[in-house]
Amino acid sequence: MDKVPMTVHGAEMLREELEQLKTVERPKVVQDIAEAREHGDLKENSEYHAAREHQGLIEARIRDIEGKLSNAQVIDITKLKNEGKVVFGSTVTVYRPDEDKEIVYKIVGEDEADLTKNLISVYTPIAKGLIGKEIDDVVSIKVPAGVIKMEIVDVQYI
């Protein structure tokens, strides 16, 4: 399987979630199942079925995270020399002439993306359009709403 890019912060967040699932959530659901079994007939025991379903979701998420971490290529952007080029993990300030405003994006892995915090996935049209470009470049990027123009104002490796 191909390696998937991930920032150091993104990998750490997944490791923390995995630890929480294995040490807190998994034992709790096992206890919930044991308690529900004590209530008798399992066929009509909604607490038991809900706990088993929750257990399945926890186990699926654990497998998902372990798979992502095993295929992750963790990139520490702070260790790279900043030459003004947009790369995975960089923080990019762009000027949008159509809106007459500057926007700051950080290009991150798919699991880290959060548009409310301007963390955009490396797989989005905007990130794809910015990667490889440099400060002062003007790019036209095709997005679902049409074509947008951006001028790269600053690139930081933080």
Side-chain angles (χ1 to χ4, degrees), residues 9-154:
H9 178 71
E12 185 57 37
M13 285 181 5
L14 283 179
R15 284 188 197 99
E16 287 174 8
E17 182 181 354
L18 184 61
E19 182 70 17
Q20 172 76 12
L21 288 169
K22 285 183 167 183
T23 61
V24 177
E25 298 295 325
R26 183 188 270 168
K28 183 183 179 313
V29 79
V30 168
Q31 179 64 35
D32 291 347
I33 290 170
E35 287 176 15
R37 274 193 180 136
E38 293 174 3
H39 294 144
D41 186 9
L42 298 181
K43 287 182 184 176
E44 297 178 17
N45 188 331
S46 63
E47 287 176 10
Y48 173 78
H49 293 289
R52 291 285 300 181
E53 184 175 330
H54 189 217
Q55 181 183 37
L57 294 173
I58 289 170
E59 294 302 325
R61 182 64 180 151
I62 287 171
R63 285 190 304 276
D64 182 46
I65 293 172
E66 288 175 339
K68 286 177 181 179
L69 288 173
S70 70
N71 291 315
Q73 177 182 7
V74 180
I75 299 170
D76 187 350
I77 190 73
T78 62
K79 294 197 163 107
L80 300 177
K81 183 179 181 210
N82 187 345
E83 295 178 353
K85 187 176 242 183
V86 179
V87 297
F88 175 83
S90 58
T91 301
V92 185
T93 304
V94 297
Y95 173 70
R96 296 269 310 266
D98 59 325
E99 296 180 3
D100 191 31
K101 71 177 183 179
E102 285 188 355
I103 303 171
V104 178
Y105 294 114
K106 183 170 180 84
I107 301 173
V108 297
E110 197 169 19
D111 289 307
E112 306 166 71
D114 183 351
L115 200 51
T116 63
K117 297 177 183 174
N118 286 352
L119 301 173
I120 60 171
S121 167
V122 67
Y123 302 113
T124 62
I126 292 174
K128 287 179 180 179
L130 293 173
I131 288 182
K133 304 300 188 277
E134 298 178 356
I135 294 175
D136 294 331
D137 283 354
V138 176
V139 295
S140 294
I141 301 171
K142 187 174 190 309
V143 295
V147 176
I148 56 174
K149 280 192 170 209
M150 296 181 175
E151 179 182 349
I152 299 172
V153 177
D154 188 33

